[in-house]
Amino acid sequence: AQSVTQLDSQVPVFEEAPVELRCNYSSSVSVYLFWYVQYPNQGLQLLLKYLSGSTLVKGINGFEAEFNKSQTSFHLRKPSVHISDTAEYFCAARAGRRALTFGSGTRLQVQP
Amino acid sequence: SQTIHQWPATLVQPVGSPLSLECTVEGTSNPNLYWYRQAAGRGLQLLFYSVGIGQISSEVPQNLSASRPQDRQFILSSKKLLLSDSGFYLCAWTDPQGGSYNSPLHFGNGTRLTVT
C-alpha cells in the first residue's frame, strides 16, 4: 500500500532561519511526489512536484525539495523563511494509477 | 485560465439535516474532479472522484454521496448529517489531457462545515 509520512506535526522557526520539512513515502513502484501549501481557511496550492529527472526540484516562493530514492524521502527546504511562509504544508504521493495520498501535514510557524 | 469555485465558504447545519455543497470548474473540459475532507489536525482524505458525467467512484463508505450532473459541476450531498461529518471539504480538479497520474491537483478554497 502507498503511504506518506510527515514526521513533524509542527515546526517553529525564527524569521530568516533555514527550515526543512520532512516527508517519507512508501511505495513499491515509481512515484510522483508533490508539496502543497495551505493558508488558513483556503484550499491547497501546489508548491512543487517531482515527476522524473533531476532529483532537486525548485518551486514557488523560494522552496525546493530533494527526491532521495534510497531513503524514500522528499524533504522540503527553504534557506531563509519569512513570516508570510506561516502555513500548513502537505506532502503527497501518487504511484501509478492510484489516487493521490496526502501526509497529515506540517504546521510551519515563523516567529519574528 | 482555469478557475474552480466552491460554495458556500462556511456552513453550520444541525444533525439530521441535508447537505449540498457545490463545485464548478471553468476554463477546461472533461476535468477529473475530486472531493476531499480535511478533519482538524489531520491530512486530506479522498471521498469521491469522477472522470466524467455521471461517473462517480467512492473511496470510503460514509454518510455522503456525490453527483456530477454536468461536465464541470460536482456536488457533494448528504440526506442526514452526522456530527462526525464536520470538517473542511475541498473540491479539486486535474487536467486529464496532461496525463492524470502526474497532473497536480488544483483546489478550491474549501467549505468549512460545522454540524451541531
Side-chain angles (χ1 to χ4, degrees), chain B residues 77-91:
Chain B
S77 304
S78 173
K79 292 181 180 177
K80 288 185 178 181
L81 283 168
L82 305 172
L83 285 175
S84 57
D85 291 324
S86 292
F88 193 49
Y89 289 82
L90 289 158
C91 182

Side-chain angles (χ1 to χ4, degrees), chain A residues 32 34 36 38 40-46 49 51 88 90 94 96-105, chain B residues 34 36 38 41-46 49 59 88 90 94 100-110 112:
Chain A
Y32 304 112
F34 306 81
Y36 286 84
Q38 183 182 33
N41 294 312
Q42 292 187 27
L44 280 70
Q45 300 174 32
L46 181 68
K49 61 183 177 181
L51 305 180
E88 186 115 24
F90 290 92
R94 176 184 286 129
R97 299 172 66 93
R98 299 192 185 117
L100 195 62
T101 300
F102 285 86
S104 56
Chain B
Y34 306 80
Y36 283 86
Q38 183 179 19
R42 301 174 71 176
L44 278 75
Q45 179 187 36
L46 178 63
Y49 69 93
E59 288 294 300
F88 193 49
L90 289 158
T94 59
S100 59
Y101 312 138
N102 58 27
S103 294
L105 286 164
H106 304 279
F107 286 87
N109 283 331
R112 173 81 54 198

Side-chain angles (χ1 to χ4, degrees), chain B residues 14-38:
Chain B
V15 168
S17 64
L19 173 74
S20 180
L21 302 181
E22 192 159 340
C23 171
T24 58
V25 180
E26 296 176 359
T28 187
S29 296
N30 196 30
N32 294 333
L33 296 171
Y34 306 80
W35 277 111
Y36 283 86
R37 177 169 57 201
Q38 183 179 19

Side-chain angles (χ1 to χ4, degrees), chain A residues 1 12 18 23 32 34 39 42 52-53 60 77 99 101 107 112:
Chain A
C23 172
Y32 304 112
F34 306 81
Y39 298 103
Q42 292 187 27
S52 64
I60 62 171
R77 301 186 185 106
T101 300
R107 176 105 183 120

Side-chain angles (χ1 to χ4, degrees), chain B residues 37 45-48 58-64 85:
Chain B
R37 177 169 57 201
Q45 179 187 36
L46 178 63
L47 302 176
F48 301 95
S58 174
E59 288 294 300
V60 288
Q62 60 212 316
N63 183 41
L64 303 168
D85 291 324

